[in-house]
């Protein structure tokens, strides 16, 4: 049975939650809902970090949906603007930090 723990939540951006029961991570961003195991979550986050670091923030195009993010479903892409990419990166970065903190606290309390 699923027992969710919030890793990130924002009324406008969405959320990232961890299921303690099955250890899956769910991301809700805009009208997208994705669920991964930890490995796939980290792979997606690494991809977003690279894309974010390589995408220039130009005020003239910051809201234009020009960035296609692949997902593990053939023929499906997430289309984002540079501003949305920035929001997604912030969400994932915050969630990953929270996940790491919880893992560390769990290790320390189990020792």
């Amino acid at each position: 049975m699923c027992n969710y723990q919030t890793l990130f939540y924002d009324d406008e951006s969405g959320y990232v939650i961890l299921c303690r029961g099955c250890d899956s991570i769910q991301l809700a961003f805009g009208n997208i809902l994705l669920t991964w195991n930890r490995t796939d979550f980290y792979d997606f986050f690494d991809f977003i970090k690279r894309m974010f670091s390589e995408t220039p923030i130009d005020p003239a195009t910051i809201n234009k949906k020009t960035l296609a993010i692949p997902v593990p479903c053939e023929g499906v892409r997430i289309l984002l603007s540079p501003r949305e990419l920035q929001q997604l990166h912030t969400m994932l970065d915050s969630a990953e930090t929270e996940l790491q903190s919880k893992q560390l606290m769990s290790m320390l309390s189990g020792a």
Side-chain angles (χ1 to χ4, degrees), residues 9-54:
Y9 179 83
D10 180 78
D11 281 339
E12 292 184 23
S13 300
Y15 64 81
V16 181
I17 57 176
L18 168 69
C19 175
R20 293 181 194 164
C22 65
D23 204 42
S24 64
I25 298 172
Q26 188 176 87
L27 163 74
F29 181 72
N31 61 353
I32 300 164
L33 181 65
L34 301 169
T35 304
W36 299 284
N37 60 40
R38 281 184 194 241
T39 301
D40 292 339
F41 169 78
Y42 283 114
D43 288 345
F44 184 76
F45 180 44
D46 287 342
F47 180 85
I48 295 299
K49 279 193 289 191
R50 275 193 320 275
M51 187 172 215
F52 178 69
S53 70
E54 296 169 0

Side-chain angles (χ1 to χ4, degrees), residues 1-108:
M1 175 172 233
C2 289
N3 177 10
Y4 293 108
Q5 179 176 18
T6 302
L7 302 174
F8 176 90
Y9 179 83
D10 180 78
D11 281 339
E12 292 184 23
S13 300
Y15 64 81
V16 181
I17 57 176
L18 168 69
C19 175
R20 293 181 194 164
C22 65
D23 204 42
S24 64
I25 298 172
Q26 188 176 87
L27 163 74
F29 181 72
N31 61 353
I32 300 164
L33 181 65
L34 301 169
T35 304
W36 299 284
N37 60 40
R38 281 184 194 241
T39 301
D40 292 339
F41 169 78
Y42 283 114
D43 288 345
F44 184 76
F45 180 44
D46 287 342
F47 180 85
I48 295 299
K49 279 193 289 191
R50 275 193 320 275
M51 187 172 215
F52 178 69
S53 70
E54 296 169 0
T55 301
I57 303 297
D58 178 1
T61 60
I62 197 162
N63 292 313
K64 292 185 180 178
K65 293 186 181 276
T66 57
L67 307 170
I69 313 292
V71 294
C73 183
E74 190 174 329
V76 177
R77 303 283 183 269
I78 301 170
L79 190 60
L80 300 177
S81 69
R83 182 182 308 277
E84 291 168 326
L85 177 64
Q86 186 176 29
Q87 290 172 330
L88 180 58
H89 177 265
T90 298
M91 282 180 66
L92 294 173
D93 187 50
S94 296
E96 193 268 343
T97 299
E98 184 70 17
L99 188 59
Q100 294 297 328
S101 297
K102 292 192 182 304
Q103 283 180 310
L104 183 59
M105 288 178 3
S106 173
M107 289 171 45
L108 292 174

